[in-house]
Amino acid sequence: EFTATIIAICIAGHHGKLMDLISLEGERPFFDRITNDNPDLYMDKVTAEFEEIISREKLDTLFTSCKQEINAFCKRCVDEKLSTLFMLHLLIKNVFSSLVDADRYDAYCFEIGKKPESEIIIPDWEDLIKRLEKRLAKFSNDSDINTLRGSVSTECLRASDFPIGVYQLDVPTGGGKTLASLRFALHHAKKHGMERIIYVIPYLSVLEQTAKNIRKDLELELDNDIILEHHSNFVVPEDDDEAQARRLLTDRWNSPIVITTMVQFLESAYSAKSGMLRKVHNMNNAVIIFDEVQSLPLKCFHLFNQLVNFLRFFGKSPLLLCTATQPLLEQVGRPIRLSEPANIVSNIRGSFEKLKRTRIIDKTLPQGYTIEALADFVLERKIESKDCLVILNTKKSAMQLFKVLQKKHESKEETEPITFVHLSTSMCPAHRLDVIDEIKTKLGIERIICVSTQLIEAGVDISFGCVVRALCGLDSIAQAAGRCNRHGEDPKGRNVYIVNMADEKLSKLPEIKTGQEVTSRILYEMKEDPSRYNGDLLSNEAIARYYQEYYEHEKNKMDYPAEKGEASVYDMLSQNQKGCSVYTNTGGKEKITLSQAFETAGRNFNVIDENTTAVFVPYKEGAKLINSFSQSDISLKEKGRLLRKLGRFTVSMYSNNFDRFFKEGWIEEINEGFFKLNTKSYDLLLGIILPEGDSFFDN
C-alpha cells in the first residue's frame, strides 16, 4: 500500500501539487479523488490503453521491484535511527520531482524540436579545478592573516578526499571560507563524480557578491553557462530564447554550479507545488555548501536537519556547513547527523585567536543608552579610529541614530568632514549594494560612520577600525566582530563595543530578545569571574554555553509550529497526528497507511514570514521601470521581464506599515496586486520614510 500510494499521489498531482493524504480536518482529498467509482477517471478506458504501452506482467515486475526498494528504504531509516515517516515524505517528493521534471522537460524539447538528453553529464571539474588553482597560486602569504587563510584552503583541499557525509567548516570571520569551500567542493565533486555544486547563501545581499567572487576565482564571464544564480533579483535576458532557456535552468537547477538562497532551497523542498518541487531531485548527487548556516531561522531547524540527513543517506550528497559560530544542530531534538571527523579544518581557530584582531569590550549600562547618549558615544570613537560601524537591532533605532549623528556633527561645526551612511532593509537591494560599494571606496581614505541593521553582518567583506554592536546573541556579536580589523590591518587589534539600548522594542523580534537575555547572563558571569571562558566572550566554551541555553529556551519552536495552534509542519509531514485523530473521531473507517498533509504543510511553510507586501520604490532606474510596468499596452512577456528587473527595486513592508501608507495615498496599486511607492516617501539616505521625513518602522 505504501508503494501504490507513492506512485499514485505523484501521478495524480504532477500537473499541480501534492495533495493531502489526510487533511487536518480529517478529510482524505487524495483518496477521494482516486476512488474507482469516480466516473471522471474513465478507469476501464485508461486501463485498456495503458496495457497497449506496457503489459500487466511487466508492470507487476516493476511494482515488485518498487516494493523491494521501499522495504530497503524503510529498513535503512530504522538502522540509521531516522524518522521513517518523515523520510518517506521526502522520498515521495523526490519521485514527484523526477516525474514533473521529466514530463515538462520532454514537453519543452518537443516544442523546440530537440531530442531530450537522457544521459547524466558530469561537468568538467578538472578544467574548473585548474582555473581555481591558477588563481590560488597568485595569492601571497605577505601577512599573518593571509598565511592562515592559506592554511584553511590547504586543509579544505586535504578534506576533499573524505567520504560522502555531513561536515563543518568552522573558521573565524575573515578566514577565507568562500574560496576554501569552493576548493573543497570542486575537488570533492571530481572525486565522487558529483553532478553539480549548490551554494546556499542566507541573504540576497550576500549572494550577488558571492557569485561575483566565484566567477572571478574561476575566470568566468558574466554570461557563462557554468554558474546559475537563482534568486529574485536576477535580470532575465532580453532575448526570448535565452529567457526561456534560463527559466528552464532555474526550474531544474541543472547547471554545474548553482548559487541560491536558503529561502529558495528550503521552500523548494517544503512546498507542495509541482513548479517548486521540480528541482528537488537535483539536490541529490550534489556537493551542497551552506554559507553562514548560523543564519538559519530557529523555526526551520528540525526541517533543515532532516532534509540534510535525507540528502546524506539517500541522496548521496556531501554537505558542508560553513560559519564562524557553528550552531549545535547535532544537539537539538531532531539532530543533524554529522560525519566523523565533523570539522574538516583542525586547530585553525586557535591560530586565528592568537592574532587578536579584535577586543570585545562590554560597555552596557544598567539603564541602557538613549539614542542621544549612543550618538555621543559613537562620535567619541573617532578619536581612536578613522571609521566606525554601528549595528543596531531595529530599523527604527538605526534611522533615529543616523539622523541624530548627522545633527550632532553639524552642530559642532567641525572642519573635518565625516561621511554618514545608513543600511537597512527599508532600502531596496540596488540601493544597499550602492551604499556598500561607497563604503568600500571610502574606507581608509575618508572618515566614515555607518549605521546599519544586522544585514551587514553575514558575508559582507568589509573592514572597519571600530565596531559598536547593540546587545544581541553571541552568534551575531561574532559576526559583527568579523567586520572589524578583518584583514589584520592593525596588528595590535581593534575594539568592538557592546552597548544596550534603553526602551528597545523587540516584541516582534523574539529570537533577538532571547539571544540578548542569554548573552546578558554570560556577560554577568564574566564580570563576576573575569577568568570565566578564558576571559573571551567569543571563546568556543562561551559560544557552546550560549547555544545550549538558547536552544533550551526555544526548543518548542524548532518543529515549525503552524499558525492558529495547529500541528507543526514537521508533524504534518510525518505522522499527522491531528489529521489522523480527527479522521478517526469523525467515523473514518479506512485503514491509514500514509497520512502526510502535503498541501497544508506547504501552505503553512515560509522561511520568511509572509505578512509583508512587496512595494516597488523609485530608486534610480527603478522609477523608469515602474513607469514602464504601469503601461497597459505592453505584453505579458514584457511585464514578466520588467517584474524580474524590479526585484532589485523592491522593499517588503509589514502589513501595519503598508496599510497606513496605502490609506494615506503614499502607496498606489499600479496593476492588480502590484504597488508602487510615491517619490516623497523614498529617501536617498534612509530608504522608505514618512513624507514628513520621520521614521515609521516599529522594528
Side-chain angles (χ1 to χ4, degrees):
E1 288 186 42
F2 273 15
T3 306
T5 301
I6 290 171
I7 294 169
I9 194 172
C10 291
I11 294 172
H14 81 281
H15 279 178
K17 56 192 169 188
L18 285 171
M19 293 177 281
D20 289 347
L21 292 165
I22 295 182
S23 70
L24 298 191
E25 294 74 32
E27 298 171 346
R28 307 205 323 159
F30 164 69
F31 294 104
D32 291 344
R33 178 176 172 183
I34 65 167
T35 51
N36 288 343
D37 57 357
N38 184 343
D40 294 333
L41 296 180
Y42 306 104
M43 286 297 296
D44 294 337
K45 185 173 186 296
V46 169
T47 303
E49 292 189 358
F50 201 77
E51 288 181 340
E52 294 178 9
I53 301 168
I54 183 170
S55 68
R56 186 172 291 274
E57 290 76 17
K58 178 65 173 175
L59 198 60
D60 287 343
T61 300
L62 285 171
F63 190 77
T64 298
S65 177
C66 289
K67 287 195 294 183
Q68 292 169 351
E69 288 184 2
I70 294 296
N71 282 330
F73 182 91
C74 294
K75 183 178 184 302
R76 190 167 191 200
C77 288
V78 174
D79 292 344
E80 298 292 349
K81 297 181 173 59
L82 301 170
S83 167
T84 303
L85 286 172
F86 196 89
M87 292 296 124
L88 278 168
H89 126 261
L90 289 171
L91 175 65
I92 290 170
K93 284 180 173 174
N94 269 265
V95 176
F96 184 74
S97 172
S98 299
L99 173 60
V100 169
D101 186 49
D103 182 45
R104 295 190 182 181
Y105 177 61
D106 186 64
Y108 165 78
C109 290
F110 178 79
E111 286 176 10
I112 65 172
K114 173 187 174 182
K115 184 179 179 181
E117 296 172 358
S118 57
E119 294 183 1
I120 294 173
I121 300 174
I122 302 298
D124 187 353
W125 298 124
E126 184 60 35
D127 176 64
L128 295 175
I129 287 171
K130 287 178 180 177
R131 290 168 178 262
L132 180 65
E133 295 299 329
K134 179 183 175 182
R135 169 80 171 156
L136 290 170
K138 296 178 182 178
F139 291 149
S140 63
N141 293 331
D142 56 354
S143 66
D144 290 339
I145 186 69
N146 283 338
T147 299
L148 284 176
R149 287 168 178 161
S151 297
V152 171
S153 178
T154 301
E155 288 273 298
C156 284
L157 175 61
R158 177 189 60 80
S160 66
D161 285 333
F162 285 9
I164 290 173
V166 181
Y167 300 102
Q168 296 173 323
L169 178 54
D170 184 10
V171 176
T173 51
K177 289 191 294 294
T178 300
L179 195 56
S181 64
L182 177 62
R183 195 180 197 186
F184 167 85
L186 288 172
H187 285 273
H188 205 54
K190 179 189 174 186
K191 178 178 177 61
H192 294 289
M194 296 289 110
E195 295 171 33
R196 65 192 52 81
I197 294 168
I198 302 175
Y199 262 90
V200 184
I201 311 292
Y203 307 118
L204 278 175
S205 57
V206 181
L207 189 150
E208 292 182 335
Q209 185 62 48
T210 299
K212 180 180 178 181
N213 290 341
I214 291 177
R215 284 197 303 270
K216 181 179 179 181
D217 293 332
L218 297 179
E219 298 180 333
L220 296 171
E221 299 296 328
L222 181 62
D223 59 349
N224 70 87
D225 57 2
I226 300 295
I227 297 174
L228 168 69
E229 295 176 54
H230 187 196
H231 55 88
S232 59
N233 291 347
F234 197 92
V235 178
V236 173
E238 294 294 332
D239 180 72
D240 286 345
D241 292 335
E242 274 193 65
Q244 189 177 25
R246 175 172 168 76
R247 280 193 293 272
L248 184 69
L249 288 171
T250 54
D251 286 345
R252 304 183 76 208
W253 280 8
N254 200 31
S255 297
I257 299 177
V258 177
I259 306 176
T260 190
T261 61
M262 183 66 84
V263 170
Q264 281 280 357
F265 186 82
L266 288 178
E267 292 190 356
S268 294
Y270 288 109
S271 174
K273 298 176 181 177
S274 59
M276 292 291 286
L277 287 171
R278 179 181 179 182
K279 63 182 78 72
V280 165
H281 71 291
N282 278 335
M283 295 178 183
N284 302 318
N285 205 32
V287 182
I288 305 179
I289 310 292
F290 296 99
D291 194 23
E292 306 292 358
V293 72
Q294 83 288 340
S295 302
L296 179 71
L298 189 81
K299 63 185 179 181
C300 299
F301 270 28
H302 289 162
L303 296 176
F304 174 81
N305 286 355
Q306 297 296 64
L307 178 58
V308 167
N309 291 338
F310 179 92
L311 290 170
R312 174 193 174 180
F313 289 108
F314 302 109
K316 298 181 181 178
S317 290
L319 304 105
L320 183 63
L321 314 179
C322 302
T323 178
T325 50
Q326 282 287 351
L328 304 180
L329 295 174
E330 73 279 15
Q331 296 183 23
V332 298
R334 307 187 196 279
I336 208 167
R337 298 286 297 281
L338 296 173
S339 300
E340 185 61 40
N343 196 354
I344 65 172
V345 172
S346 59
N347 302 321
I348 290 292
R349 181 171 287 277
S351 300
F352 273 90
E353 288 173 355
K354 289 178 182 177
L355 296 183
K356 292 295 181 186
R357 287 179 293 170
T358 58
R359 293 177 291 272
I360 310 297
I361 300 174
D362 180 8
K363 285 290 184 178
T364 56
L365 301 174
Q367 71 279 12
Y369 289 78
T370 63
I371 293 294
E372 292 281 338
L374 182 58
D376 291 334
F377 179 83
V378 171
L379 290 172
E380 288 170 6
R381 304 281 71 77
K382 67 181 181 181
I383 299 171
E384 65 183 77
S385 177
K386 195 168 187 175
D387 46 68
C388 182
L389 169 65
V390 188
I391 306 175
L392 302 180
N393 292 323
T394 71
K395 289 183 279 190
K396 184 173 184 178
S397 295
M399 280 187 173
Q400 290 174 336
L401 179 64
F402 175 81
K403 290 193 283 190
V404 171
L405 280 169
Q406 281 187 314
K407 289 179 181 178
K408 282 183 175 289
H409 178 68
E410 292 168 1
S411 66
K412 292 181 180 180
E413 298 181 352
E414 295 189 20
T415 55
E416 186 175 19
I418 298 178
T419 299
F420 294 93
V421 295
H422 164 269
L423 277 170
S424 82
T425 52
S426 60
M427 303 152 66
C428 67
H431 192 174
R432 297 199 301 265
L433 288 172
D434 284 347
V435 172
I436 290 171
D437 287 342
E438 179 189 5
I439 294 170
K440 290 180 176 180
T441 301
K442 293 182 177 180
L443 273 175
I445 300 172
E446 302 177 17
R447 283 198 178 276
I448 185 167
I449 294 178
C450 173
V451 182
S452 176
T453 57
Q454 62 187 28
L455 69 86
I456 200 171
E457 288 178 344
V460 180
D461 186 7
I462 208 161
S463 182
F464 283 82
C466 171
V467 169
V468 178
R469 183 56 168 101
L471 185 64
C472 57
L474 284 196
D475 52 342
S476 291
I477 290 174
Q479 292 296 326
R483 312 311 126 191
C484 182
N485 201 28
R486 184 177 180 84
H487 307 296
E489 298 91 341
D490 186 343
K492 296 180 181 178
R494 288 289 190 168
N495 296 332
V496 175
Y497 298 98
I498 309 301
V499 298
N500 56 329
M501 302 298 297
D503 302 321
E504 189 176 39
K505 295 180 180 178
L506 297 177
S507 59
K508 295 182 180 179
L509 301 169
E511 291 182 23
I512 291 179
K513 185 172 179 59
T514 300
Q516 248 186 17
E517 292 168 352
V518 178
T519 300
S520 292
R521 285 191 281 275
I522 294 174
L523 287 172
Y524 177 78
E525 292 170 1
M526 293 182 70
K527 285 178 181 178
E528 292 292 297
D529 179 6
S531 64
R532 189 82 182 266
Y533 310 114
N534 296 317
D536 181 4
L537 183 64
L538 300 182
S539 66
N540 287 339
E541 295 78 13
I543 294 289
R545 151 88 165 83
Y546 168 78
Y547 277 133
Q548 286 164 358
E549 183 173 342
Y550 180 76
Y551 292 168
E552 179 62 27
H553 188 278
E554 301 288 307
K555 62 184 178 182
N556 293 330
K557 298 179 181 178
M558 296 184 187
D559 270 355
Y560 201 111
E563 295 179 1
K564 303 175 184 176
E566 292 183 342
S568 68
V569 170
Y570 182 91
D571 185 65
M572 292 179 204
L573 296 173
S574 51
Q575 293 178 299
N576 191 11
Q577 291 177 322
K578 181 176 180 179
C580 290
S581 177
V582 175
Y583 173 71
T584 303
N585 293 337
T586 53
K589 302 292 185 183
E590 296 291 331
K591 177 184 174 184
I592 296 174
T593 51
L594 292 171
S595 59
Q596 286 90 343
F598 290 102
E599 185 177 353
T600 303
R603 191 168 59 246
N604 276 275
F605 181 80
N606 296 287
V607 177
I608 300 173
D609 290 333
E610 275 200 330
N611 59 335
T612 60
T613 302
V615 178
F616 302 144
V617 299
Y619 175 75
K620 291 188 175 179
E621 184 193 356
K624 183 178 178 181
L625 291 171
I626 293 168
N627 184 59
S628 298
F629 187 81
S630 304
Q631 304 304 312
S632 58
D633 57 346
I634 64 172
S635 67
L636 191 61
K637 187 176 290 185
E638 179 62 16
K639 276 192 178 292
R641 284 204 190 96
L642 290 169
L643 189 59
R644 293 299 294 268
K645 289 184 177 182
L646 278 165
R648 301 182 71 247
F649 303 92
T650 301
V651 173
S652 294
M653 295 179 66
Y654 283 99
S655 56
N656 58 328
N657 295 319
F658 175 85
D659 292 345
R660 178 182 178 187
F661 270 57
F662 192 76
K663 181 180 178 181
E664 296 291 342
W666 302 326
I667 287 175
E668 66 174 283
E669 191 169 19
I670 54 176
N671 281 148
E672 186 176 355
F674 296 101
F675 303 89
K676 75 169 184 178
L677 186 78
N678 68 22
T679 305
K680 292 181 180 179
S681 296
Y682 198 83
D683 185 87
L684 293 179
L685 293 174
L686 298 172
I688 296 183
I689 57 168
L690 290 172
E692 293 84 1
D694 295 326
S695 166
F696 72 94
F697 289 102
D698 295 326
N699 54 44

